[in-house]
Amino acid sequence: MEKLSIRAFRAVDEPETCEEFRREHRRVLEDFGITNVTTNTDTWCSDPDTVVIIAQTDDGRMVGGIRVEVRGERELPITAALRKHDPRIVQVVERLGEHGTAEVCGLWNANRFNSRGLPNLLSMAAVSIANQLQIRTMVCLVAHYTVRHALRAGFTMIEEVGEGGTFTYPIPSIKALAMVIPDVRSMDTAIAPNRRNIMSLRIRPEQVRIEKPGEVDLEVRYQLLFDRSVLALVPYRLIEEQHLRYCA
């Protein structure tokens, strides 16, 4: 069985890992003929409000990644990408930001690791950390060929922008969809199996689970607790102790 780790960290804590993320993500975009994405910059690498989630094989190779960028002083990528196409996106994000919002972005999967369903696992992991970020909603801008992962994780269309939430972006052959999770606490827009998995990761962000989102079984070690302070660790350690006690 293939083994995989999916772990989260603040971008500012691991600059070298962020650079590897950027390099691998850029390579995937270029394979799709995408070389001019306005949001494909390195500004997020120095943003303390950006959390990076990476997938690595047991020999340490990075095979996928995703980011969660909390709305703060820096403009969210979805706003930067769409404001010229439809200025209403600015007001939408500002409204969502009143109660705390973040963008799930930068999803990529190495071609050498296809058919494992990794984008689905990364999307669930990204949504699961919402409680650690103290936000109420999440947004994303996804290509038509990855929208299924967003839907499974609970994202719905932002219909008041574009053509029912759809844009021709970043190149003519790709349709991009602006989406939102209206309530990341209840997650009632996610499909039932994914909602259960997201809530499990939210309660126990460090666990090992057998997953089969694609063609093969994966033993996945999740390490999604990115705030390593003592106060943050206490409740999760108590949950883990009770889980081990009653599963023994």
Side-chain angles (χ1 to χ4, degrees):
M1 184 183 300
E2 293 187 64
K3 295 184 178 181
L4 193 70
S5 69
I6 295 180
R7 69 179 184 91
F9 59 91
R10 291 194 184 276
V12 293
D13 293 337
E14 298 191 27
E16 291 182 1
T17 311
C18 289
E19 180 54 36
E20 183 179 359
F21 180 109
R22 288 187 63 239
R23 185 170 59 251
E24 295 291 342
H25 186 199
R26 185 167 57 246
R27 184 176 301 168
V28 172
L29 290 174
E30 290 172 351
D31 287 344
F32 281 96
I34 302 171
T35 58
N36 61 340
V37 180
T38 58
T39 57
N40 188 25
T41 68
D42 62 355
T43 56
W44 57 268
C45 297
S46 57
D47 185 354
D49 291 325
T50 294
V51 176
V52 183
I53 300 175
I54 60 171
Q56 292 174 300
T57 56
D58 56 357
D59 61 358
R61 292 182 302 151
M62 191 184 300
V63 291
I66 197 167
R67 302 194 309 274
V68 181
E69 301 189 18
V70 179
R71 182 176 181 269
E73 295 182 3
R74 194 167 64 86
E75 185 177 53
L76 288 182
I78 190 172
T79 307
L82 299 182
R83 62 164 59 247
K84 291 182 179 180
H85 300 270
D86 189 338
R88 290 177 295 177
I89 191 64
V90 177
Q91 285 72 44
V92 170
V93 172
E94 286 180 353
R95 184 182 74 242
L96 294 172
E98 291 176 0
H99 300 288
T101 193
E103 180 172 351
V104 178
C105 56
L107 174 63
W108 64 273
N109 178 76
N111 291 330
R112 62 184 180 277
F113 209 75
N114 281 340
S115 304
R116 272 81 159 184
L118 183 55
N120 189 44
L121 299 181
L122 288 169
S123 298
M124 287 194 299
V127 173
S128 77
I129 67 171
N131 63 317
Q132 297 184 61
L133 298 170
Q134 301 297 310
I135 56 175
R136 182 69 64 86
T137 60
M138 280 181 152
V139 296
C140 70
L141 181 65
V142 298
H144 62 273
Y145 50 82
T146 60
V147 67
R148 64 188 183 279
H149 308 302
L151 290 169
R152 290 170 182 164
F155 285 93
T156 62
M157 297 293 290
I158 304 177
E159 296 186 349
E160 62 261 48
V161 297
E163 296 183 11
T166 303
F167 296 81
T168 300
Y169 176 88
I171 58 178
S173 61
I174 293 179
K175 294 294 183 182
L177 295 84
M179 308 184 78
V180 63
I181 298 179
D183 187 351
V184 293
R185 297 178 180 178
S186 68
M187 289 303 303
D188 54 7
T189 51
I191 63 173
N194 280 31
R195 183 180 185 275
R196 285 194 298 270
N197 289 342
I198 289 168
M199 292 304 187
S200 173
L201 290 172
R202 189 166 291 177
I203 294 170
R204 292 192 300 123
E206 297 192 353
Q207 59 174 283
V208 178
R209 206 160 63 200
I210 304 301
E211 306 276 23
K212 191 177 181 179
E215 297 177 359
V216 299
D217 288 344
L218 298 170
E219 181 184 300
V220 183
R221 177 176 295 277
Y222 291 96
Q223 299 169 291
L224 301 177
L225 191 61
F226 54 87
D227 183 354
R228 312 303 299 184
S229 69
V230 174
L231 290 178
L233 285 172
V234 168
Y236 293 114
R237 290 291 175 258
L238 292 173
I239 291 168
E240 185 66 18
E241 288 173 7
Q242 293 300 310
H243 173 75
L244 293 174
R245 176 184 175 188
Y246 289 104
C247 289

CSV table of all heavy atoms in Angstrom, one decimal, residues 75-91 94 167 169:
chain,number,residue,atom,x,y,z
A,75,GLU,N,-4.9,41.4,-0.7
A,75,GLU,CA,-6.0,41.1,-1.5
A,75,GLU,C,-6.1,39.6,-1.8
A,75,GLU,O,-5.0,39.0,-2.1
A,75,GLU,CB,-6.0,41.9,-2.8
A,75,GLU,CG,-7.2,41.7,-3.7
A,75,GLU,CD,-7.1,42.6,-4.9
A,75,GLU,OE1,-6.1,42.5,-5.6
A,75,GLU,OE2,-8.0,43.4,-5.2
A,76,LEU,N,-7.2,39.0,-1.7
A,76,LEU,CA,-7.3,37.6,-2.0
A,76,LEU,C,-7.1,37.3,-3.5
A,76,LEU,O,-7.5,38.2,-4.3
A,76,LEU,CB,-8.7,37.0,-1.6
A,76,LEU,CG,-9.0,36.8,-0.1
A,76,LEU,CD1,-10.3,36.3,0.2
A,76,LEU,CD2,-7.9,36.0,0.6
A,77,PRO,N,-6.6,36.2,-3.9
A,77,PRO,CA,-6.3,35.9,-5.3
A,77,PRO,C,-7.6,36.0,-6.1
A,77,PRO,O,-7.5,36.4,-7.3
A,77,PRO,CB,-5.8,34.5,-5.2
A,77,PRO,CG,-5.1,34.3,-3.9
A,77,PRO,CD,-6.0,35.1,-3.0
A,78,ILE,N,-8.7,35.5,-5.6
A,78,ILE,CA,-10.0,35.6,-6.4
A,78,ILE,C,-10.4,37.0,-6.8
A,78,ILE,O,-10.8,37.2,-7.9
A,78,ILE,CB,-11.1,34.8,-5.6
A,78,ILE,CG1,-12.3,34.6,-6.6
A,78,ILE,CG2,-11.5,35.6,-4.4
A,78,ILE,CD1,-13.4,33.8,-6.0
A,79,THR,N,-10.1,37.9,-5.9
A,79,THR,CA,-10.4,39.3,-6.2
A,79,THR,C,-9.5,39.9,-7.2
A,79,THR,O,-9.9,40.5,-8.2
A,79,THR,CB,-10.3,40.2,-4.9
A,79,THR,OG1,-11.2,39.6,-3.9
A,79,THR,CG2,-10.8,41.6,-5.2
A,80,ALA,N,-8.2,39.6,-7.1
A,80,ALA,CA,-7.2,40.0,-8.0
A,80,ALA,C,-7.4,39.5,-9.4
A,80,ALA,O,-7.2,40.2,-10.4
A,80,ALA,CB,-5.8,39.6,-7.5
A,81,ALA,N,-7.9,38.2,-9.5
A,81,ALA,CA,-8.1,37.6,-10.8
A,81,ALA,C,-9.3,38.1,-11.5
A,81,ALA,O,-9.4,38.2,-12.7
A,81,ALA,CB,-8.2,36.1,-10.6
A,82,LEU,N,-10.4,38.4,-10.7
A,82,LEU,CA,-11.7,38.6,-11.4
A,82,LEU,C,-12.2,40.1,-11.4
A,82,LEU,O,-13.2,40.4,-12.0
A,82,LEU,CB,-12.8,37.8,-10.7
A,82,LEU,CG,-12.6,36.3,-10.7
A,82,LEU,CD1,-13.8,35.6,-10.0
A,82,LEU,CD2,-12.5,35.8,-12.2
A,83,ARG,N,-11.5,41.0,-10.7
A,83,ARG,CA,-12.0,42.3,-10.5
A,83,ARG,C,-12.2,43.0,-11.9
A,83,ARG,O,-13.1,43.8,-12.1
A,83,ARG,CB,-11.1,43.2,-9.6
A,83,ARG,CG,-9.7,43.4,-10.1
A,83,ARG,CD,-9.0,44.5,-9.4
A,83,ARG,NE,-8.9,44.4,-7.9
A,83,ARG,CZ,-9.6,45.2,-7.1
A,83,ARG,NH1,-10.3,46.2,-7.6
A,83,ARG,NH2,-9.4,45.1,-5.8
A,84,LYS,N,-11.3,42.7,-12.9
A,84,LYS,CA,-11.4,43.3,-14.2
A,84,LYS,C,-12.5,42.7,-15.0
A,84,LYS,O,-13.1,43.4,-15.9
A,84,LYS,CB,-10.1,43.2,-15.0
A,84,LYS,CG,-8.9,44.0,-14.4
A,84,LYS,CD,-7.7,43.9,-15.2
A,84,LYS,CE,-6.5,44.7,-14.7
A,84,LYS,NZ,-5.3,44.6,-15.5
A,85,HIS,N,-12.8,41.5,-14.7
A,85,HIS,CA,-13.9,40.8,-15.4
A,85,HIS,C,-15.3,41.2,-14.9
A,85,HIS,O,-16.3,41.2,-15.6
A,85,HIS,CB,-13.7,39.3,-15.3
A,85,HIS,CG,-12.4,38.8,-15.9
A,85,HIS,ND1,-12.3,38.4,-17.3
A,85,HIS,CD2,-11.2,38.6,-15.4
A,85,HIS,CE1,-11.1,38.1,-17.5
A,85,HIS,NE2,-10.4,38.2,-16.4
A,86,ASP,N,-15.4,41.4,-13.5
A,86,ASP,CA,-16.6,41.7,-12.9
A,86,ASP,C,-16.3,42.4,-11.5
A,86,ASP,O,-16.0,41.7,-10.6
A,86,ASP,CB,-17.5,40.5,-12.7
A,86,ASP,CG,-18.9,40.9,-12.2
A,86,ASP,OD1,-19.1,42.0,-11.7
A,86,ASP,OD2,-19.8,40.1,-12.4
A,87,PRO,N,-16.4,43.7,-11.5
A,87,PRO,CA,-16.0,44.4,-10.2
A,87,PRO,C,-16.9,44.0,-9.0
A,87,PRO,O,-16.5,44.3,-7.9
A,87,PRO,CB,-16.3,45.9,-10.6
A,87,PRO,CG,-16.2,45.9,-12.1
A,87,PRO,CD,-16.7,44.6,-12.6
A,88,ARG,N,-18.0,43.4,-9.3
A,88,ARG,CA,-18.9,43.0,-8.1
A,88,ARG,C,-18.2,42.0,-7.2
A,88,ARG,O,-18.6,41.8,-6.0
A,88,ARG,CB,-20.2,42.4,-8.7
A,88,ARG,CG,-21.1,43.4,-9.3
A,88,ARG,CD,-22.3,42.7,-9.9
A,88,ARG,NE,-22.0,41.8,-11.0
A,88,ARG,CZ,-22.9,41.0,-11.6
A,88,ARG,NH1,-24.2,41.1,-11.2
A,88,ARG,NH2,-22.5,40.2,-12.6
A,89,ILE,N,-17.2,41.3,-7.7
A,89,ILE,CA,-16.5,40.3,-6.8
A,89,ILE,C,-15.9,41.0,-5.6
A,89,ILE,O,-15.7,40.4,-4.5
A,89,ILE,CB,-15.4,39.6,-7.6
A,89,ILE,CG1,-14.8,38.4,-6.8
A,89,ILE,CG2,-14.2,40.5,-8.0
A,89,ILE,CD1,-15.8,37.3,-6.5
A,90,VAL,N,-15.5,42.3,-5.7
A,90,VAL,CA,-14.9,43.0,-4.6
A,90,VAL,C,-15.9,43.1,-3.5
A,90,VAL,O,-15.6,42.9,-2.3
A,90,VAL,CB,-14.4,44.4,-5.1
A,90,VAL,CG1,-13.9,45.2,-3.9
A,90,VAL,CG2,-13.4,44.3,-6.2
A,91,GLN,N,-17.2,43.5,-3.8
A,91,GLN,CA,-18.2,43.7,-2.8
A,91,GLN,C,-18.6,42.3,-2.2
A,91,GLN,O,-18.8,42.2,-1.0
A,91,GLN,CB,-19.4,44.3,-3.4
A,91,GLN,CG,-19.3,45.8,-3.6
A,91,GLN,CD,-18.4,46.2,-4.8
A,91,GLN,OE1,-18.5,45.5,-5.9
A,91,GLN,NE2,-17.5,47.1,-4.6
A,94,GLU,N,-15.8,41.4,0.3
A,94,GLU,CA,-15.9,42.3,1.4
A,94,GLU,C,-17.0,41.9,2.3
A,94,GLU,O,-16.9,41.9,3.6
A,94,GLU,CB,-16.1,43.7,1.0
A,94,GLU,CG,-14.8,44.4,0.4
A,94,GLU,CD,-15.0,45.8,0.0
A,94,GLU,OE1,-16.2,46.3,0.0
A,94,GLU,OE2,-14.0,46.5,-0.4
A,167,PHE,N,-16.6,32.3,-15.4
A,167,PHE,CA,-15.8,33.2,-16.2
A,167,PHE,C,-14.9,32.5,-17.2
A,167,PHE,O,-14.6,31.3,-16.9
A,167,PHE,CB,-14.8,34.0,-15.2
A,167,PHE,CG,-15.5,34.8,-14.2
A,167,PHE,CD1,-16.0,34.3,-13.0
A,167,PHE,CD2,-15.6,36.2,-14.4
A,167,PHE,CE1,-16.7,35.1,-12.1
A,167,PHE,CE2,-16.3,37.0,-13.5
A,167,PHE,CZ,-16.8,36.4,-12.3
A,169,TYR,N,-11.4,32.2,-17.9
A,169,TYR,CA,-10.2,32.6,-17.3
A,169,TYR,C,-9.4,31.4,-16.9
A,169,TYR,O,-10.0,30.4,-16.5
A,169,TYR,CB,-10.5,33.4,-16.0
A,169,TYR,CG,-9.3,33.8,-15.1
A,169,TYR,CD1,-8.7,35.0,-15.4
A,169,TYR,CD2,-8.9,33.0,-14.1
A,169,TYR,CE1,-7.5,35.3,-14.6
A,169,TYR,CE2,-7.8,33.3,-13.4
A,169,TYR,CZ,-7.1,34.5,-13.6
A,169,TYR,OH,-6.0,34.8,-12.9
